[in-house]
Amino acid sequence: MSPMILASSAAPDPALLPTWIGAIATAAAVIVAIVAISLTYRQVRLTAIQLRDASVQAAQDSEDRTRPYVTMNIVPSIARQGALDLIVTNTGATAATNVRFELLGDGFGLSDDDTHVGPGLRDFFSTPFELAPGAKLRLFWHLPESRAERSDKPGAMGAPVTGELQATYSRDVDGQPGSREYVTKHRYDFTFWPKITPQAWTGKHNEGSSSDPLTHLKNIDFGVRAIAHHVGESTR
């Protein structure tokens, strides 16, 4: 009698089976919903991050396209051989305002009776100025010691042949003057530069008599050839 009672009490009630199935289905649906919500949240978060990064990149691209770019280049001087000129150019799309220059780590080497290059550069560097888009300035940078017997400016003038030049400049944004500032540096070392930098050739000179008209004609012919050579090389 007892075994039969135990077996009968342990058997599941068929009427409760749909209830268990419904509970399991509900639990599975909840789990699926939680997973879907988590994936949706993750996707929304990734999309927000991508939109933010795209907005930041678009703003940076716009800044890069419209900002001023003040470049510095030191080149052979048009004054005389061995001298250097400083070329300052704004290659950007907007005006560079409040442009200031500074020679880092060194000063301008002024000879005792220098009255031109050194003080002029010093005054130029201490006075802020504006540089329009595409505008260019060419300045004396370094003049080596004169070898003339009666030179009134002994010693090198202007900037040293080795140094670092810094330009600080601003840009007006939304009507606010100088609201954005930029810094550009240019390090140079010309201790060996004259040995490897091509310089313009002045043309051959005829060694004939200076009073002979033919000598002058030959010199003119040599000069024209030199000009043609330089024009051709400049297109390479």
Side-chain angles (χ1 to χ4, degrees), residues 5-210:
I5 296 174
L6 292 174
S8 177
S9 62
D13 188 353
L16 298 178
L17 186 59
T19 303
W20 283 104
I21 294 175
I24 293 173
T26 301
V30 170
I31 293 173
V32 171
I34 292 173
V35 172
I37 292 172
S38 299
L39 293 176
T40 302
Y41 171 77
R42 183 173 181 273
Q43 185 61 40
V44 170
R45 185 171 179 271
L46 290 175
T47 301
I49 293 175
Q50 291 173 354
L51 290 175
R52 183 191 63 191
D53 293 343
S55 176
V56 171
Q57 185 62 47
Q60 185 61 50
D61 292 343
S62 176
E63 166 72 9
D64 293 341
R65 288 192 304 269
T66 58
R67 59 161 286 187
Y69 289 91
V70 175
T71 62
M72 298 160 285
N73 194 20
I74 300 175
V75 299
S77 178
I78 59 177
R80 60 187 173 97
Q81 188 173 6
L84 305 173
D85 288 349
L86 169 66
I87 298 179
V88 180
T89 309
N90 180 9
T91 61
T94 54
T97 61
N98 196 28
V99 184
R100 293 98 65 200
F101 282 93
E102 182 180 0
L103 189 59
L104 303 179
D106 205 344
F108 294 105
L110 310 179
S111 57
D112 294 338
D113 58 353
D114 182 13
T115 59
H116 179 48
V117 178
L121 284 172
R122 182 185 58 206
D123 294 341
F124 173 78
F125 273 42
S126 63
T127 306
F129 64 97
E130 181 173 324
L131 201 61
K136 179 186 294 186
L137 294 175
R138 184 163 188 152
L139 310 169
F140 283 119
W141 183 247
H142 175 82
L143 292 176
E145 183 174 0
S146 176
R147 297 181 179 180
E149 294 181 0
R150 296 184 178 181
S151 173
D152 59 346
K153 299 181 185 300
M157 294 181 290
V161 294
T162 301
E164 185 173 14
L165 183 60
Q166 175 177 291
T168 305
Y169 51 100
S170 305
R171 172 193 173 196
D172 299 344
V173 180
D174 297 331
Q176 299 296 324
S179 57
R180 195 161 298 171
E181 191 171 79
Y182 310 92
V183 176
T184 302
K185 294 184 179 181
H186 178 68
R187 181 180 293 276
Y188 65 94
D189 185 349
F190 295 108
T191 54
F192 63 91
W193 168 83
K195 301 177 182 178
I196 61 174
T197 302
Q199 295 192 19
W201 181 50
T202 58
K204 183 179 178 181
H205 290 276
N206 189 275
E207 297 180 356
S209 173
S210 59

